[in-house]
Amino acid sequence: MVEERAPVDDASAMEEAAHAERSVATGPDADSPTWMQRRGRLVDWIVAIVLVIASVVLVVWQVPQHKMVSPIDEYVYIDYLAKVPTQFVVHRGEETGEYARLYLSCNGVRTLGYYPADFCTDWQEADEETMPNGGKTTADIYTPVYFGATWLLAQPLVLLGISDITEAGRYTGVVWLAAAAVLLYLTLRRLRVDPVTAGSLGLLLVGSLSAYWSNTYISTDAMSLLAGSLMAFCLTMFLRGSRWVPWLFVGSAVLLTLAKMQNLMGVAAAAVTLIFWALADAFRRGRGAEGRWRSLVRDRRVISAFAAVIVSVIAQGAWAVIRNMIVYDTRADQGVEAPLSKRALVEEVLRFFPGVSKGAIDPGLVGIAAQIASAVMAWVIVAGVIGLIAASRRGSRSESLALATFFVALVSGPLLAIATVVMAGYYFYLPARYGMSLLAFFLVCAGLLFTRSVWTRWFSVAVAVVSYVAVMTLTG
């Protein structure tokens, strides 16, 4: 995978790293790597396998314990999952189906409790007052990307004997989680973060409240951690000079944003980072203003960055048009509407930094273990981003990455609030989980900082183990 190197700190170091990787792949000794290179690759493979195992253990352990429906809209997501093989999409104003209503009536909602026992046998009698959202779906804002992929991934499990599509669908979360953890690890290694730090931060991602709520239930957030990790990984591919990476970058950005609009934050973090890198390089070359402008306009990083964001927004706009063409009835009233005031926009600024550490709901409602996991992650996020900005050389790649991540985290809240009004027709206080695609970037910043000293490396191991164990002990 990736051989051991010193941590990346500045532009020249990153350029040397990219050149070194190309040399390893194309040099005269490419077919006979040194003993150190072979050992480094073996370590990377071992850590990657450990992260996959950790993901499997978390999901396989937690899914059977979920006796109730997640309060994070899982009821309507279950309805979408059940309908996707027959009708492909759900429509605005459409009533939830029999399967979802029966499942909700018999299982209840976590943190809210169970329905009366007779609901499980007489659920057909449920009226609009007893069913959430007046019996209508609220999942119509989503494309079938996540639900279609989840249904397909669940089919082998169904063939193996898991007849309940909800249970089978919950198990598929391990695919997105394991991929996210491995890609985060590879990203850190390509940025020359030591395997101890890189592996521990991958484990921290797996053992986070975000992973617990999004990858062990049916949730449109399931692909968000993967979205951030994949976008961060693409940054390292730009450093290596791969010619086809712009196409991968833009294509992945569009697909991930179609899965969930909020994944655009991860795309934006990568895009702004690329622009900052291009700006730093343009000024470093010492050309005049006109030369710098021409250099930026032609820079494939800048072109890719704008293309990824613009095409993703266009794709979501196209979906909004399609949604309006297949409306069944008036939308469901969730009772969460709020005025989009200037004060509301200001409050959204710090919604995701470090609020994303809380996961889907207030950790205090879940227990002390959730509060510990949230506190650990919040500390790592703040220390990683702010610490890297303070410790990096001015104009370095590391500083640019941290500044871009911090900038996107701050502006995403207000911009997403406005986008929500445009897409959904109303504003509501944004949940911190919408920023999950930024979590990988927060952890990359932490990795670049923690790898600089021995004690912070082993500290990252400690916090990762504490968080993972805490999340494993959650029940419900």
Side-chain angles (χ1 to χ4, degrees):
M1 290 190 179
V2 184
E3 64 269 18
E4 183 73 20
R5 298 189 186 94
V8 171
D9 181 47
D10 53 30
S12 60
M14 280 194 173
E15 289 167 358
E16 290 172 3
H19 175 73
E21 291 201 17
R22 289 194 295 269
S23 298
V24 168
T26 61
D29 297 326
D31 294 330
S32 56
T34 66
W35 179 82
M36 289 294 291
Q37 290 172 342
R38 288 196 298 268
R39 188 184 70 169
R41 291 169 184 170
L42 177 59
V43 169
D44 289 334
W45 276 106
I46 292 174
V47 175
I49 292 172
V50 169
L51 291 175
V52 171
I53 293 173
S55 302
V56 172
V57 170
L58 177 72
V59 175
V60 171
W61 172 258
Q62 288 293 353
V63 168
Q65 299 190 57
H66 296 335
K67 306 303 181 183
M68 307 178 78
V69 175
S70 166
I72 313 304
D73 298 328
E74 191 183 24
Y75 161 58
V76 293
Y77 299 155
I78 289 173
D79 179 64
Y80 205 142
L81 180 63
K83 291 177 177 178
V84 75
T86 56
Q87 66 181 61
F88 193 56
V89 299
V90 297
H91 311 79
R92 183 187 306 169
E94 176 182 331
E95 291 190 353
T96 51
E98 294 182 358
Y99 172 78
R101 292 192 178 200
L102 175 60
Y103 195 94
L104 178 69
S105 299
C106 294
N107 292 277
V109 181
R110 186 171 177 181
T111 71
L112 299 180
Y114 290 96
Y115 281 96
D118 59 345
F119 271 53
C120 189
T121 54
D122 301 327
W123 62 269
Q124 296 93 334
E125 304 299 325
D127 55 23
E128 294 182 355
E129 293 183 359
T130 56
M131 286 290 103
N133 310 315
K136 294 182 179 180
T137 184
T138 57
D140 59 280
I141 62 175
Y142 299 108
T143 72
V145 171
Y146 163 69
F147 300 99
T150 298
W151 187 86
L152 288 173
L153 289 172
Q155 294 316 295
L157 298 177
V158 173
L159 292 175
L160 290 174
I162 301 179
S163 58
D164 182 22
I165 189 62
T166 298
E167 183 181 7
R170 285 171 173 173
Y171 278 119
T172 65
V174 72
V175 175
W176 316 116
L177 181 58
V182 172
L183 280 174
L184 174 62
Y185 175 76
L186 293 179
T187 298
L188 290 167
R189 294 293 288 131
R190 283 189 169 187
L191 295 177
R192 299 187 296 174
V193 174
D194 69 280
V196 172
T197 303
S200 62
L201 292 178
L203 181 63
L204 181 61
L205 181 75
V206 173
S208 64
L209 291 176
S210 295
Y212 174 78
W213 287 108
S214 62
N215 295 106
T216 66
Y217 286 100
I218 304 297
S219 171
T220 52
D221 294 325
M223 298 174 68
S224 294
L225 294 179
L226 173 60
S229 293
L230 180 55
M231 289 296 98
F233 183 74
C234 284
L235 293 179
T236 67
M237 298 182 71
F238 274 102
L239 289 174
R240 298 183 70 182
S242 302
R243 293 183 178 181
W244 48 270
V245 68
W247 298 100
L248 174 64
F249 181 65
V250 176
S252 299
V254 173
L255 181 61
L256 293 169
T257 304
L258 281 176
K260 186 163 190 174
M261 180 181 69
Q262 289 81 2
N263 290 342
L264 185 60
M265 285 185 236
V267 176
V272 174
T273 299
L274 290 174
I275 293 173
F276 281 6
W277 284 356
L279 282 169
D281 288 344
F283 279 93
R284 191 176 294 110
R285 294 189 185 102
R287 299 174 180 176
E290 184 176 350
R292 291 170 182 166
W293 173 250
R294 290 179 179 177
S295 175
L296 288 173
V297 170
R298 297 174 181 175
D299 196 308
R300 69 175 188 152
R301 294 170 296 184
V302 175
I303 296 173
S304 300
F306 279 100
V309 174
I310 292 173
V311 177
S312 296
V313 171
I314 292 174
Q316 271 293 336
W319 170 243
V321 173
I322 294 173
R323 283 179 57 227
N324 289 327
M325 293 174 62
I326 58 175
V327 171
Y328 270 18
D329 199 352
T330 57
R331 62 178 173 83
D333 182 10
Q334 295 180 271
V336 295
E337 295 186 30
L340 183 58
S341 61
K342 293 181 180 178
R343 179 176 179 178
L345 289 175
V346 172
E347 290 177 349
E348 296 295 349
V349 171
L350 292 176
R351 182 69 65 192
F352 309 122
F353 184 85
V356 70
S357 65
K358 298 178 181 179
I361 64 176
D362 182 358
L365 298 176
V366 185
I368 185 63
Q371 292 175 296
I372 292 173
S374 175
V376 165
M377 182 64 79
W379 190 95
V380 171
I381 289 173
V382 174
V385 176
I386 302 302
L388 188 61
I389 293 174
S392 298
R393 187 177 62 82
R394 300 288 78 83
S396 68
R397 291 281 202 270
S398 297
E399 183 195 50
S400 296
L401 172 63
L403 287 173
T405 300
F406 190 48
F407 171 76
V408 172
L410 295 183
V411 303
S412 289
L415 291 179
L416 183 58
I418 296 171
T420 300
V421 173
V422 174
M423 292 292 294
Y426 60 95
Y427 163 73
F428 57 92
Y429 296 109
L430 302 178
R433 63 189 174 88
Y434 282 0
M436 280 173 49
S437 61
L438 292 174
L439 188 55
F441 286 87
F442 293 149
L443 294 180
V444 168
C445 291
L448 290 171
L449 179 68
F450 292 169
T451 195
R452 301 186 182 200
S453 69
V454 174
W455 79 267
T456 50
R457 293 179 188 181
W458 292 107
F459 175 78
S460 67
V461 174
V463 296
V465 171
V466 168
S467 183
Y468 185 83
V469 171
V471 170
M472 284 289 289
T473 62
L474 297 179
T475 58

